[in-house]
Amino acid sequence: METESNKHNQTVNSNHRLAIFASGAGSNAAKIIDYFKHNTHITIALIVSNKKEAGVLKIAEQNNIPVLIIEKEQFFKGDAYINALNKSTITFIVLAGFLWKVPQQLITSFFNKIINIHPALLPKYGGKGMYGNFVHEAVIQNKEKESGITIHFVNEKYDDGKHIFQTTCNVDENDTPETLAKKIQLLEHQHFPEQIEKILTNNL
Ligand code: GAR
């Protein structure tokens, strides 16, 4: 089957093995997995989650992707999971609904190779506690005229690394956090896989 990703295969001339860190429903992870399904250079090699009951685990199972469940105390030790990631020969990390701050050692090990998606136009509406519907509630409460998504490199602070991509949507007067969430999710699904591919292509 010809996918959008296949069309670009020829421009990616080294192999990438991605770990997706996700702890929610996993709708972004599902889109990413689907997008790269037939890509011979970019493989979704591991799903990492801190929640045993996360929806993303079902998606991993359906797609035969190995799963690593991580534990808080170990994760914040900093280097506890680096061996496991190296063992799976992971070359790049995508955070898609992962809410823990990434420890410095992991950032150093994967320097400029960890990206995150955030459901707002950073630097506004970012930081600790700003995730999911909390973001959309705040945007609506402040009567913003627009919101959007930010894809950015991850550093040692929440939602703070260098921006890679932003796009916007209107916030209408009658939008609720739920209707805004749907608009944002659409943008995420539309752009995240393609942006990942661009980053990996340019990284070569
Ligand atoms: C996405 O909207 C993502 O932007 C957000 O979590 C959602 C995960 O949805 N991330 C953050 O808020 C990070 N601060 P999904 O599990 O359906 O992909």
Side-chain angles (χ1 to χ4, degrees), residues 24-29 96-99 116-119 130-132 159 185 188:
S27 73
N28 279 287
F98 184 74
L99 305 180
N116 178 43
I117 191 161
H118 187 77
M130 271 295 170
Y131 61 90
D159 302 325
Q185 191 183 55
E188 293 188 330

Side-chain angles (χ1 to χ4, degrees), residues 181-195:
K182 286 210 176 92
K183 290 183 189 176
I184 297 286
Q185 191 183 55
L186 209 64
L187 287 181
E188 293 188 330
H189 292 175
Q190 230 167 12
H191 294 284
F192 202 14
E194 212 172 279
Q195 287 301 317

Side-chain angles (χ1 to χ4, degrees), residues 70-84:
I70 57 174
E71 193 267 315
K72 197 165 197 168
E73 205 175 313
Q74 288 295 316
F75 186 71
F76 288 111
K77 271 186 190 163
D79 59 355
Y81 294 105
I82 293 174
N83 274 349

Side-chain angles (χ1 to χ4, degrees), residues 36-57:
F36 291 112
K37 221 169 208 163
H38 303 283
N39 189 306
T40 50
H41 297 287
I42 299 173
T43 305
I44 311 305
L46 189 66
I47 299 292
V48 178
S49 183
N50 60 297
K51 286 198 181 142
K52 283 197 188 95
E53 71 284 5
V56 70
L57 300 183

Side-chain angles (χ1 to χ4, degrees), residues 119-137:
L121 295 171
L122 292 172
K124 283 175 134 184
Y125 304 104
K128 194 169 168 39
M130 271 295 170
Y131 61 90
N133 256 25
F134 294 117
V135 174
H136 310 312
E137 276 164 16

